Amino acid sequence: MYDPLHDKSPGCGEKYPDSYWANISGTAPDNEGVLTQDIDVDVAIIGAGYTGLSCALHLAREHGIKAHILEANQTAWGCSGRNAGFILKSSGRKSFSTMQKQWGEEVMRGIYHEMEAGVQTVNDLIGEGIDCDVQDLGYIKVAHKKNKLKELVDLAKLQKEMFGYDVQILSKDELNQQYMDDHNAYGAIRYQDGFGLNPLKLAWGYQRFARKAGVRIHCSTPVTDWQEGKQHQLITPLGIVKAKKVVIATNGYTPKNFNNLVADRTLPVLSQIIVTEPLSDDQIAACNFLTSNVVMDTRALKYYYRKLPDNRLLFGGRGAITGKGAEDPYYANRLLSVLKTSFPPLQSLNIAYAWSGWICMALDDLPHIYQNEANNVFYSMGYCGSGVSFSVQAGKRLAEKVAEKAVPHLPLYDSALPKFPLAPLRRVGQWGYFHYGKIKDTWF
Ligand SMILES: Cc1cc2nc3c(=O)[nH]c(=O)nc-3n(C[C@H](O)[C@H](O)[C@H](O)COP(=O)(O)OP(=O)(O)OC[C@H]3O[C@@H](n4cnc5c(N)ncnc54)[C@H](O)[C@@H]3O)c2cc1C
């Protein structure tokens, strides 16, 4: 599998992975196809995931700028077509209480409003006519240990107090009786506004809107070299793109040595997903699996799951450390065995689909939307595995930056992604964190 820390290109025209989403979503909408000639453009966007599509869509609709998107493989071939489809009012891994301590209440509220606006923008775009199998509202955060419930309750109190956020507290019995009988859960909090959807269909919806607004999308068109200058030259296999401004929207799929502006500032980490066979009515009853809310736990090394519209379970967690190990069935089987400890009646359940994708970690646990000094290269990345909704807001803010409009003064938009110290040893650090996480999750 492509490994962004080792490979210089994510490929060219690679098919979608054999995921549940790619199998059930039908046919991808049209795009402009491979770029086969040299072109001269105002704005080139590299990467056709949510970030690139949203930036292009907002540039066209709100600023009258018709960008060209260059995508190495297919629309949403990266994380945007592989994720779990959780729409949450959050991004990055920094907690609101840490933000409050670090930057004060006003900044924390400002960031919260941006995350909230991300969900609103997704909902608005869906409302314009994207059929992406939206499920019931609700996001359940389960305590994987007794002492974690207290932390969750404190979090719920903070969010109610600060943002008037509607958070429900559920005892273990309430959770088991009203939502699902998860044997690894010791209670939970439940937000009323998260939900699950089909992430690939969502991206295809954005693609349709973007093209309708005049955006040109070239799939199978990897940028393999980049000559920077007043006018940038992006080299692709069959054509050179001369661009006044370039947006890097490659997130966890950014190739090695791609551009100095983002070099050594992210850590791509594999997240693994399995989707099971459909549960029978008896299996659903045995687990009291009433809910199709999206669920995540409190572990440092998180597990997340949801019941899909066809009664399969999607279950996710960490994957291999390197691209070489990504397809080892060990990682999918490990998830299945954890799923079975949560739901013991499902001992005979099998995996139907398994795949993984590179999430993009930032050293300070926060996405950054930033630019170079010349104001002609821009990026948004570092969602830390939580970017389905916020990447759309980030794309909108990127568009404002490209169009030279003001954006809110927040650490998200005012500062660059910090560099990883000892960057060549990032994977060693990750390995260490996984070991620390295992100990923390088991004993503390
Ligand atoms: C398994 C998994 C589960 C996840 N679950 C959730 C979830 O439930 N909720 C949530 O909020 N977030 C989730 N995420 C994270 C979320 O999917 C991402 O934050 C989001 O999709 C990022 O979108 P993007 O457009 O920035 O990047 P991507 O969608 O990764 O797009 C980057 C694109 O850049 C292209 N590219 C790279 N290099 C080049 C080049 N040189 N030339 C041309 N094109 C190039 C790639 O081919 C790729 O298509 C998950 C991620 C994974 C992997």
Side-chain angles (χ1 to χ4, degrees), residues 120-180:
Q120 189 55 49
T121 310
V122 173
N123 276 320
D124 290 347
L125 289 168
I126 293 173
E128 281 186 38
I130 303 178
D131 169 17
C132 56
D133 309 327
V134 169
Q135 290 187 280
D136 294 342
L137 284 180
Y139 162 38
I140 301 175
K141 195 155 182 181
V142 297
H144 78 284
K145 286 186 158 251
K146 255 192 196 148
N147 61 340
K148 292 286 163 187
L149 187 58
K150 182 177 175 322
E151 282 177 27
L152 284 181
V153 170
D154 289 347
L155 173 68
K157 279 188 190 146
L158 176 88
Q159 290 181 323
K160 274 184 186 172
E161 216 174 273
M162 290 286 176
F163 316 124
Y165 203 174
D166 190 5
V167 193
Q168 203 183 339
I169 296 165
L170 299 168
S171 68
K172 181 173 173 50
D173 285 348
E174 284 166 335
L175 180 72
N176 294 345
Q177 284 158 21
Q178 295 168 33
Y179 296 94
M180 73 277 168

Side-chain angles (χ1 to χ4, degrees), residues 2 8-11 45-53 70-88 90-91 195 199 218 221-225 235-236 248-255 258 269-273 294 296 304 306 314 316-317 355-360 380-391:
Y2 165 63
K8 292 202 159 166
S9 165
I45 297 174
I46 308 170
Y50 302 135
T51 303
L53 292 166
L70 310 170
E71 165 55 50
N73 298 305
Q74 321 289 334
T75 299
W77 178 84
C79 272
S80 301
R82 299 172 191 238
N83 63 71
F86 287 33
I87 296 290
L88 306 177
S90 58
S91 188
F195 58 93
H218 295 283
T221 305
V223 174
T224 53
D225 205 357
I235 317 300
T236 76
I248 308 174
T250 49
N251 201 43
Y253 284 78
T254 310
F258 190 57
V269 170
L270 277 173
S271 187
Q272 170 85 43
I273 287 182
V294 295
M296 201 175 316
Y304 48 90
R306 53 185 279 213
L314 177 155
W355 70 93
S356 57
W358 294 103
I359 62 172
C360 187
S380 172
M381 51 181 80
Y383 308 112
C384 305
S386 179
V388 179
S389 53
F390 182 67
S391 57

